[in-house]
Amino acid sequence: MDIVRAPIEMEASKLPSLTVGEVYVDTPRMTTRNVNVFYGDKMAIDNVTLDIAEKQVISLIGPSGCGKSTFLRCLNRMNDTIESCRVEGQIKLDDQNIYDPHIDVVPLRARVGMVFQKPNPFPKSIYDNVAYGPRIHGLAGHKDELDSIVEASLRRAGLWGEVANRLDQSGTSLSGGQQQRLCIARAIAVSPEVILMDEPCSALDPIATARIEELIFELREEFTIVIVTHSMQQAARVSNRTAYFHLGRLVEVGGTSEIFTNPHHELTNSYITGRFG
Amino acid sequence: MESSPHTSSAFDQDLYEMSEKVRSLANLVERQLKAVTQSLSTLEDKGLDKLIRRDKKVDKLESEIIEQGVQVIALRAPLAEDLRRVLVIQKIATILERMGDYARNTANRTKVILAEGPEAVPVTNLQQMAELTCEMLVDVMAAFDNVDAEMAIKVRNGDVKVDKLHTKLHRDVVKSAQNNPDQIVANVHLLFIAKNFERIGDYATGIAEQVYFLANGTFVDEFRPKADKTSWNA
Amino acid sequence: MSEPQKGIITPHVAISRVNASLAARRARERRFRIYGRIAIGLALAFLVTLFVSIFTKGIPGFFQYYVTLEVVIDQEKIDPDGDLSVQSLYDGDARGIIRSALYKVTGAEGRSGRKAAGKLISKGAEQRLRKAIIKNPALVGQTVAMKFALDDDADSFLRGYISSAVPEKDRRISDKQIEFINKLQKLNLISYDFSDYLIFGSASRDPEIAGIKGAFIGSMLTLAVCLVLAFPMGVATAIYLEEFAPKNRITELIEVNINNLAAVPSVVFGILGLAVFISIFGMPRSIPLIGGVVLALMTLPTIIISSRAAIRAVPPSIRDAAFGVGASKLQTVMHHVLPLAMPGMLTGTIIGMAQALGETAPLLMIGMVAFIVDIPGSVTDPGTVLPVQIFMWADFAERMFIHKTSAAIIVLLVFLISMNAIAIFIRSRLERRW
């Protein structure tokens, strides 16, 4: 058989002008409307409109450089740290425009927590890692309260049993999977409403990955979760909805089972079935 | 086949092989049906034993396809269109194997009819019915090749004709049995053969539904037209 | 397949070509290694020469000749006022007490004989006697055996630098004095001991009693001023430039200038100090405060550059993590970046301090080269520093100063090496791995 690979540039002509599938939901926690993101002159996100439903997991998938991570980082303004980055359009958390100039980014990030690709615990004790957020936001009135926040967060992250008797050890002494669960515990310790996860399992082995996925599955009862992943299986396993990004556009969004069994757009199908990317 | 090849060429190769195998299985079953039809319409034994032996090959090919499907699912984790293709090919293989079984069963019964004295059996409609089902099989496989849902639906709707013929044949055979009570054994077998072809027609519609699923990712939701009234006949 | 494709070399051809090129490659590698060894050998040879030269001259500098005398401490003579006050002791005749003890053992007689004998003893002897009495007044009225430093000429003679074969008028020590020395030696009263003057003495024109204490304390005070000024300023600048400053033309210009500042000759900073602090502000010369300020200016670029490198070495993932839980910029820097960068900053600071410790030129410019006997008690007292002291001693003619100079160099080197060792210790101990 002849293999003729279509370069991704050629795929640009196939991009839909409108996202395929239902971008709106009945109970949105976050809404984005016509969002454009630029790095300098380069457009990284092109007119993305998407609702993020409350207490659901939505996966953002797509080939490298498709803008899914950029989009994720817009949701808690982590892009602010990049000087050349400019965001247009409207992103709302509940009814508040998070790019409103009057909005303080500190409480925003307390409401929209984040877990990163590489487990990045602070080089401090396990306890201090989890207690850091509550401390800086003044969530705990006294030591006992802080203790209970730490314990509850570690329990919810499924890590309490493994670290209960060594809370004073360094967070970096844990295994990769444990470190990532510690980072999740750290994120949920400030009781966020939304948790953003940027390829949280890409540095982990399959067992650790399975535990994180199980954790995400449990957390969706309490939190709204947006997860960027390169693993389609992972998106299929943990999410309610899946959004496919391509060259900065949101090509298709829909129920995860629908996207993975019967995608409607040609690009989505090509990506999911492994025809490029 | 597909719009563009996979990044993994081995995956393409696997899917290609599976499609080829199910095609050759369909060809084999078609050959079985044609052979038994010939013996029936001429009321002569035209290699019925050979046909019966050949059914083993049908079974073997079917299990090969199922096995390869399992392997592809395990190793390549197909999704969307690819996943549907693997599943549909497996399902079609199973259906084809059942069709093959009916062909063999029909061959066995034909042998009995030939032994019992074939003068009094009304085979004219039967031949037409057999040819029709065979045609359905060929058409539905063409639909599979082209992933053509429209054509598949046409095949599916064509089953009405088979049903109608079956109803007619059923009446003929019952009449013939009443007229020739001493030929009752041959007529009973003929009745079963008629039923076999009716089932084969149904299976062809089953394949058509699989092709529809392969093409659209959804199942045919409209109710299938039926014209088999034998169950309500005296 | 029989026709080989263009651009594809068969393994057989490839390996033969590789083998052919191997010999040349190996020879080149061998040559490179030999050059490297020669370079290291040369460097080591120079280093060894330096150390041998410094140590052979410096080790004797830690020792000097003493004479032990039985001094009769007569109340009337030593303390005429009888109140043991400093004034009274200075009015007393400590010199006479020591000299009479000396005359007694040498048997020196007559005006010229006594004069010759008196010159054998260092001028510091009487001061030593006074101090001993202040420390222990019970000595008054007793006869005590005390060790006094010999004068540098006698010392040089005992070391063999002055030969008795040379005609008397051509040497700094007379025949009579040689006779006395021989007598003292016979009586076993002369000893070659560790030189307490080197460590505890202050500046003096008399080499046998000159010491580095004043310069050492001057160095400490100067360094303290330098550290207090340069470290917080350097760290703050580094943090601002790395974490807060917008990336534009102005910050770029500042960065370039800081890097250039590191390359400015240190004497220029001295001139700056002279012009600004002494000429314009009219501050006194020779004080460690100005020395420290000048050295702070000089070390600032080093500290800023190393601190910025340390900040940049903190992985961005840590910042992300802090921002991710909602820490503000300042919290992120103070809670995470700064603690993680601190070992690197401290290392850079210590290296900068070590550099400052060894600096001479800018301090010469602000007058810290002055001859100051008093040990500075504060940063505003005039003083000098170790390298300047070394510089001054190297200029003096007396034979004994050669040894003292090298001994002071050894002290400075030990000081510098221990500072570097602390830097290495901090780096290996505090540095976190992540």
PDB file of all heavy atoms in Angstrom, chain C residues 196-224:
ATOM      1  N   ASP C 196      54.776  35.803  68.805  1.00  0.00           N
ATOM      2  CA  ASP C 196      53.457  36.310  69.186  1.00  0.00           C
ATOM      3  C   ASP C 196      53.234  37.718  68.656  1.00  0.00           C
ATOM      4  O   ASP C 196      52.116  38.151  68.463  1.00  0.00           O
ATOM      5  CB  ASP C 196      53.259  36.258  70.705  1.00  0.00           C
ATOM      6  CG  ASP C 196      54.422  36.861  71.447  1.00  0.00           C
ATOM      7  OD1 ASP C 196      55.418  37.201  70.784  1.00  0.00           O
ATOM      8  OD2 ASP C 196      54.334  36.974  72.678  1.00  0.00           O
ATOM      9  N   TYR C 197      54.341  38.423  68.365  1.00  0.00           N
ATOM     10  CA  TYR C 197      54.198  39.777  67.831  1.00  0.00           C
ATOM     11  C   TYR C 197      53.506  39.782  66.465  1.00  0.00           C
ATOM     12  O   TYR C 197      52.747  40.673  66.145  1.00  0.00           O
ATOM     13  CB  TYR C 197      55.567  40.451  67.717  1.00  0.00           C
ATOM     14  CG  TYR C 197      56.054  40.976  69.033  1.00  0.00           C
ATOM     15  CD1 TYR C 197      57.166  40.426  69.645  1.00  0.00           C
ATOM     16  CD2 TYR C 197      55.402  42.039  69.656  1.00  0.00           C
ATOM     17  CE1 TYR C 197      57.619  40.906  70.861  1.00  0.00           C
ATOM     18  CE2 TYR C 197      55.845  42.518  70.860  1.00  0.00           C
ATOM     19  CZ  TYR C 197      56.958  41.964  71.466  1.00  0.00           C
ATOM     20  OH  TYR C 197      57.391  42.442  72.651  1.00  0.00           O
ATOM     21  N   LEU C 198      53.782  38.745  65.644  1.00  0.00           N
ATOM     22  CA  LEU C 198      53.202  38.714  64.300  1.00  0.00           C
ATOM     23  C   LEU C 198      51.680  38.741  64.363  1.00  0.00           C
ATOM     24  O   LEU C 198      51.025  39.455  63.630  1.00  0.00           O
ATOM     25  CB  LEU C 198      53.674  37.471  63.541  1.00  0.00           C
ATOM     26  CG  LEU C 198      53.036  37.312  62.169  1.00  0.00           C
ATOM     27  CD1 LEU C 198      53.627  38.292  61.178  1.00  0.00           C
ATOM     28  CD2 LEU C 198      53.161  35.900  61.653  1.00  0.00           C
ATOM     29  N   ILE C 199      51.141  37.916  65.248  1.00  0.00           N
ATOM     30  CA  ILE C 199      49.686  37.796  65.303  1.00  0.00           C
ATOM     31  C   ILE C 199      49.071  38.915  66.131  1.00  0.00           C
ATOM     32  O   ILE C 199      48.058  39.488  65.758  1.00  0.00           O
ATOM     33  CB  ILE C 199      49.276  36.427  65.896  1.00  0.00           C
ATOM     34  CG1 ILE C 199      49.971  35.296  65.148  1.00  0.00           C
ATOM     35  CG2 ILE C 199      47.766  36.242  65.887  1.00  0.00           C
ATOM     36  CD1 ILE C 199      49.611  35.179  63.691  1.00  0.00           C
ATOM     37  N   PHE C 200      49.702  39.244  67.265  1.00  0.00           N
ATOM     38  CA  PHE C 200      49.045  40.175  68.185  1.00  0.00           C
ATOM     39  C   PHE C 200      49.605  41.582  68.140  1.00  0.00           C
ATOM     40  O   PHE C 200      49.087  42.474  68.787  1.00  0.00           O
ATOM     41  CB  PHE C 200      49.115  39.624  69.617  1.00  0.00           C
ATOM     42  CG  PHE C 200      48.468  38.274  69.731  1.00  0.00           C
ATOM     43  CD1 PHE C 200      49.233  37.128  69.908  1.00  0.00           C
ATOM     44  CD2 PHE C 200      47.091  38.146  69.625  1.00  0.00           C
ATOM     45  CE1 PHE C 200      48.636  35.890  69.995  1.00  0.00           C
ATOM     46  CE2 PHE C 200      46.504  36.912  69.705  1.00  0.00           C
ATOM     47  CZ  PHE C 200      47.283  35.774  69.890  1.00  0.00           C
ATOM     48  N   GLY C 201      50.666  41.756  67.373  1.00  0.00           N
ATOM     49  CA  GLY C 201      51.254  43.084  67.298  1.00  0.00           C
ATOM     50  C   GLY C 201      50.552  43.926  66.260  1.00  0.00           C
ATOM     51  O   GLY C 201      49.885  43.412  65.363  1.00  0.00           O
ATOM     52  N   SER C 202      50.702  45.245  66.420  1.00  0.00           N
ATOM     53  CA  SER C 202      50.141  46.093  65.383  1.00  0.00           C
ATOM     54  C   SER C 202      51.293  46.686  64.568  1.00  0.00           C
ATOM     55  O   SER C 202      52.446  46.329  64.759  1.00  0.00           O
ATOM     56  CB  SER C 202      49.269  47.171  66.007  1.00  0.00           C
ATOM     57  OG  SER C 202      50.037  47.913  66.917  1.00  0.00           O
ATOM     58  N   ALA C 203      50.928  47.559  63.656  1.00  0.00           N
ATOM     59  CA  ALA C 203      51.934  48.072  62.736  1.00  0.00           C
ATOM     60  C   ALA C 203      53.095  48.724  63.488  1.00  0.00           C
ATOM     61  O   ALA C 203      52.907  49.375  64.513  1.00  0.00           O
ATOM     62  CB  ALA C 203      51.286  49.090  61.806  1.00  0.00           C
ATOM     63  N   SER C 204      54.291  48.544  62.977  1.00  0.00           N
ATOM     64  CA  SER C 204      55.468  49.149  63.612  1.00  0.00           C
ATOM     65  C   SER C 204      56.591  49.239  62.589  1.00  0.00           C
ATOM     66  O   SER C 204      56.660  48.445  61.657  1.00  0.00           O
ATOM     67  CB  SER C 204      55.907  48.293  64.804  1.00  0.00           C
ATOM     68  OG  SER C 204      57.132  48.791  65.291  1.00  0.00           O
ATOM     69  N   ARG C 205      57.464  50.207  62.794  1.00  0.00           N
ATOM     70  CA  ARG C 205      58.636  50.289  61.925  1.00  0.00           C
ATOM     71  C   ARG C 205      59.676  49.282  62.368  1.00  0.00           C
ATOM     72  O   ARG C 205      60.595  48.964  61.633  1.00  0.00           O
ATOM     73  CB  ARG C 205      59.240  51.701  61.982  1.00  0.00           C
ATOM     74  CG  ARG C 205      58.614  52.699  61.048  1.00  0.00           C
ATOM     75  CD  ARG C 205      58.818  52.335  59.593  1.00  0.00           C
ATOM     76  NE  ARG C 205      60.218  52.367  59.183  1.00  0.00           N
ATOM     77  CZ  ARG C 205      60.731  51.565  58.264  1.00  0.00           C
ATOM     78  NH1 ARG C 205      59.977  50.643  57.703  1.00  0.00           N
ATOM     79  NH2 ARG C 205      61.995  51.656  57.919  1.00  0.00           N
ATOM     80  N   ASP C 206      59.547  48.797  63.591  1.00  0.00           N
ATOM     81  CA  ASP C 206      60.501  47.799  64.085  1.00  0.00           C
ATOM     82  C   ASP C 206      60.006  46.415  63.715  1.00  0.00           C
ATOM     83  O   ASP C 206      58.980  45.969  64.220  1.00  0.00           O
ATOM     84  CB  ASP C 206      60.632  47.897  65.612  1.00  0.00           C
ATOM     85  CG  ASP C 206      61.231  49.234  66.010  1.00  0.00           C
ATOM     86  OD1 ASP C 206      62.277  49.584  65.426  1.00  0.00           O
ATOM     87  OD2 ASP C 206      60.615  49.928  66.841  1.00  0.00           O
ATOM     88  N   PRO C 207      60.705  45.756  62.844  1.00  0.00           N
ATOM     89  CA  PRO C 207      60.168  44.495  62.315  1.00  0.00           C
ATOM     90  C   PRO C 207      59.941  43.434  63.389  1.00  0.00           C
ATOM     91  O   PRO C 207      59.021  42.638  63.282  1.00  0.00           O
ATOM     92  CB  PRO C 207      61.224  44.049  61.306  1.00  0.00           C
ATOM     93  CG  PRO C 207      62.433  44.844  61.586  1.00  0.00           C
ATOM     94  CD  PRO C 207      61.990  46.102  62.223  1.00  0.00           C
ATOM     95  N   GLU C 208      60.751  43.435  64.462  1.00  0.00           N
ATOM     96  CA  GLU C 208      60.612  42.336  65.421  1.00  0.00           C
ATOM     97  C   GLU C 208      59.313  42.436  66.213  1.00  0.00           C
ATOM     98  O   GLU C 208      58.860  41.453  66.776  1.00  0.00           O
ATOM     99  CB  GLU C 208      61.840  42.274  66.350  1.00  0.00           C
ATOM    100  CG  GLU C 208      61.922  43.381  67.392  1.00  0.00           C
ATOM    101  CD  GLU C 208      62.583  44.640  66.828  1.00  0.00           C
ATOM    102  OE1 GLU C 208      62.864  44.672  65.618  1.00  0.00           O
ATOM    103  OE2 GLU C 208      62.783  45.587  67.603  1.00  0.00           O
ATOM    104  N   ILE C 209      58.732  43.640  66.257  1.00  0.00           N
ATOM    105  CA  ILE C 209      57.466  43.745  67.008  1.00  0.00           C
ATOM    106  C   ILE C 209      56.271  44.087  66.108  1.00  0.00           C
ATOM    107  O   ILE C 209      55.155  44.267  66.579  1.00  0.00           O
ATOM    108  CB  ILE C 209      57.569  44.779  68.162  1.00  0.00           C
ATOM    109  CG1 ILE C 209      57.919  46.156  67.592  1.00  0.00           C
ATOM    110  CG2 ILE C 209      58.537  44.323  69.215  1.00  0.00           C
ATOM    111  CD1 ILE C 209      57.706  47.259  68.605  1.00  0.00           C
ATOM    112  N   ALA C 210      56.514  44.132  64.777  1.00  0.00           N
ATOM    113  CA  ALA C 210      55.404  44.450  63.872  1.00  0.00           C
ATOM    114  C   ALA C 210      54.473  43.257  63.749  1.00  0.00           C
ATOM    115  O   ALA C 210      54.920  42.109  63.683  1.00  0.00           O
ATOM    116  CB  ALA C 210      55.941  44.841  62.503  1.00  0.00           C
ATOM    117  N   GLY C 211      53.152  43.529  63.702  1.00  0.00           N
ATOM    118  CA  GLY C 211      52.184  42.436  63.604  1.00  0.00           C
ATOM    119  C   GLY C 211      51.002  42.804  62.719  1.00  0.00           C
ATOM    120  O   GLY C 211      50.896  43.945  62.274  1.00  0.00           O
ATOM    121  N   ILE C 212      50.153  41.824  62.497  1.00  0.00           N
ATOM    122  CA  ILE C 212      49.055  42.035  61.552  1.00  0.00           C
ATOM    123  C   ILE C 212      47.725  42.277  62.239  1.00  0.00           C
ATOM    124  O   ILE C 212      46.697  42.354  61.588  1.00  0.00           O
ATOM    125  CB  ILE C 212      48.913  40.839  60.598  1.00  0.00           C
ATOM    126  CG1 ILE C 212      48.719  39.562  61.397  1.00  0.00           C
ATOM    127  CG2 ILE C 212      50.084  40.748  59.650  1.00  0.00           C
ATOM    128  CD1 ILE C 212      48.270  38.406  60.536  1.00  0.00           C
ATOM    129  N   LYS C 213      47.741  42.350  63.574  1.00  0.00           N
ATOM    130  CA  LYS C 213      46.452  42.434  64.260  1.00  0.00           C
ATOM    131  C   LYS C 213      45.622  43.624  63.778  1.00  0.00           C
ATOM    132  O   LYS C 213      44.439  43.493  63.459  1.00  0.00           O
ATOM    133  CB  LYS C 213      46.665  42.547  65.768  1.00  0.00           C
ATOM    134  CG  LYS C 213      45.383  42.395  66.542  1.00  0.00           C
ATOM    135  CD  LYS C 213      45.638  42.493  68.028  1.00  0.00           C
ATOM    136  CE  LYS C 213      44.346  42.396  68.794  1.00  0.00           C
ATOM    137  NZ  LYS C 213      44.566  42.691  70.220  1.00  0.00           N
ATOM    138  N   GLY C 214      46.266  44.768  63.683  1.00  0.00           N
ATOM    139  CA  GLY C 214      45.546  45.967  63.250  1.00  0.00           C
ATOM    140  C   GLY C 214      44.980  45.799  61.855  1.00  0.00           C
ATOM    141  O   GLY C 214      43.806  46.092  61.605  1.00  0.00           O
ATOM    142  N   ALA C 215      45.814  45.276  60.968  1.00  0.00           N
ATOM    143  CA  ALA C 215      45.373  45.111  59.591  1.00  0.00           C
ATOM    144  C   ALA C 215      44.251  44.071  59.507  1.00  0.00           C
ATOM    145  O   ALA C 215      43.290  44.222  58.752  1.00  0.00           O
ATOM    146  CB  ALA C 215      46.537  44.663  58.714  1.00  0.00           C
ATOM    147  N   PHE C 216      44.376  43.011  60.316  1.00  0.00           N
ATOM    148  CA  PHE C 216      43.368  41.957  60.314  1.00  0.00           C
ATOM    149  C   PHE C 216      42.019  42.518  60.748  1.00  0.00           C
ATOM    150  O   PHE C 216      40.993  42.301  60.091  1.00  0.00           O
ATOM    151  CB  PHE C 216      43.827  40.845  61.262  1.00  0.00           C
ATOM    152  CG  PHE C 216      42.960  39.629  61.224  1.00  0.00           C
ATOM    153  CD1 PHE C 216      43.188  38.640  60.268  1.00  0.00           C
ATOM    154  CD2 PHE C 216      41.919  39.459  62.123  1.00  0.00           C
ATOM    155  CE1 PHE C 216      42.396  37.523  60.228  1.00  0.00           C
ATOM    156  CE2 PHE C 216      41.118  38.346  62.076  1.00  0.00           C
ATOM    157  CZ  PHE C 216      41.356  37.370  61.128  1.00  0.00           C
ATOM    158  N   ILE C 217      42.048  43.266  61.850  1.00  0.00           N
ATOM    159  CA  ILE C 217      40.782  43.838  62.323  1.00  0.00           C
ATOM    160  C   ILE C 217      40.259  44.862  61.325  1.00  0.00           C
ATOM    161  O   ILE C 217      39.054  44.933  61.046  1.00  0.00           O
ATOM    162  CB  ILE C 217      40.976  44.443  63.728  1.00  0.00           C
ATOM    163  CG1 ILE C 217      41.142  43.281  64.710  1.00  0.00           C
ATOM    164  CG2 ILE C 217      39.799  45.331  64.120  1.00  0.00           C
ATOM    165  CD1 ILE C 217      41.399  43.669  66.122  1.00  0.00           C
ATOM    166  N   GLY C 218      41.182  45.621  60.727  1.00  0.00           N
ATOM    167  CA  GLY C 218      40.774  46.562  59.682  1.00  0.00           C
ATOM    168  C   GLY C 218      40.091  45.837  58.541  1.00  0.00           C
ATOM    169  O   GLY C 218      39.036  46.253  58.045  1.00  0.00           O
ATOM    170  N   SER C 219      40.656  44.694  58.142  1.00  0.00           N
ATOM    171  CA  SER C 219      40.054  43.897  57.074  1.00  0.00           C
ATOM    172  C   SER C 219      38.662  43.423  57.465  1.00  0.00           C
ATOM    173  O   SER C 219      37.726  43.475  56.675  1.00  0.00           O
ATOM    174  CB  SER C 219      40.932  42.673  56.777  1.00  0.00           C
ATOM    175  OG  SER C 219      41.880  42.978  55.791  1.00  0.00           O
ATOM    176  N   MET C 220      38.535  42.955  58.704  1.00  0.00           N
ATOM    177  CA  MET C 220      37.245  42.455  59.180  1.00  0.00           C
ATOM    178  C   MET C 220      36.190  43.554  59.130  1.00  0.00           C
ATOM    179  O   MET C 220      35.076  43.353  58.663  1.00  0.00           O
ATOM    180  CB  MET C 220      37.371  41.959  60.630  1.00  0.00           C
ATOM    181  CG  MET C 220      38.120  40.662  60.782  1.00  0.00           C
ATOM    182  SD  MET C 220      37.155  39.269  60.193  1.00  0.00           S
ATOM    183  CE  MET C 220      37.923  38.939  58.679  1.00  0.00           C
ATOM    184  N   LEU C 221      36.566  44.736  59.644  1.00  0.00           N
ATOM    185  CA  LEU C 221      35.615  45.845  59.670  1.00  0.00           C
ATOM    186  C   LEU C 221      35.223  46.249  58.256  1.00  0.00           C
ATOM    187  O   LEU C 221      34.044  46.460  57.950  1.00  0.00           O
ATOM    188  CB  LEU C 221      36.236  47.043  60.404  1.00  0.00           C
ATOM    189  CG  LEU C 221      36.411  46.868  61.910  1.00  0.00           C
ATOM    190  CD1 LEU C 221      37.204  48.037  62.481  1.00  0.00           C
ATOM    191  CD2 LEU C 221      35.056  46.771  62.595  1.00  0.00           C
ATOM    192  N   THR C 222      36.235  46.308  57.374  1.00  0.00           N
ATOM    193  CA  THR C 222      35.963  46.704  55.989  1.00  0.00           C
ATOM    194  C   THR C 222      35.027  45.696  55.329  1.00  0.00           C
ATOM    195  O   THR C 222      34.058  46.049  54.660  1.00  0.00           O
ATOM    196  CB  THR C 222      37.284  46.788  55.214  1.00  0.00           C
ATOM    197  OG1 THR C 222      38.196  47.562  55.970  1.00  0.00           O
ATOM    198  CG2 THR C 222      37.081  47.413  53.849  1.00  0.00           C
ATOM    199  N   LEU C 223      35.333  44.403  55.542  1.00  0.00           N
ATOM    200  CA  LEU C 223      34.507  43.354  54.949  1.00  0.00           C
ATOM    201  C   LEU C 223      33.088  43.401  55.495  1.00  0.00           C
ATOM    202  O   LEU C 223      32.125  43.173  54.774  1.00  0.00           O
ATOM    203  CB  LEU C 223      35.100  41.978  55.235  1.00  0.00           C
ATOM    204  CG  LEU C 223      36.164  41.458  54.259  1.00  0.00           C
ATOM    205  CD1 LEU C 223      36.414  40.000  54.521  1.00  0.00           C
ATOM    206  CD2 LEU C 223      35.727  41.668  52.825  1.00  0.00           C
ATOM    207  N   ALA C 224      32.981  43.676  56.802  1.00  0.00           N
ATOM    208  CA  ALA C 224      31.655  43.729  57.411  1.00  0.00           C
ATOM    209  C   ALA C 224      30.828  44.827  56.745  1.00  0.00           C
ATOM    210  O   ALA C 224      29.669  44.605  56.356  1.00  0.00           O
ATOM    211  CB  ALA C 224      31.781  43.976  58.913  1.00  0.00           C
TER     212      ALA C 224
END
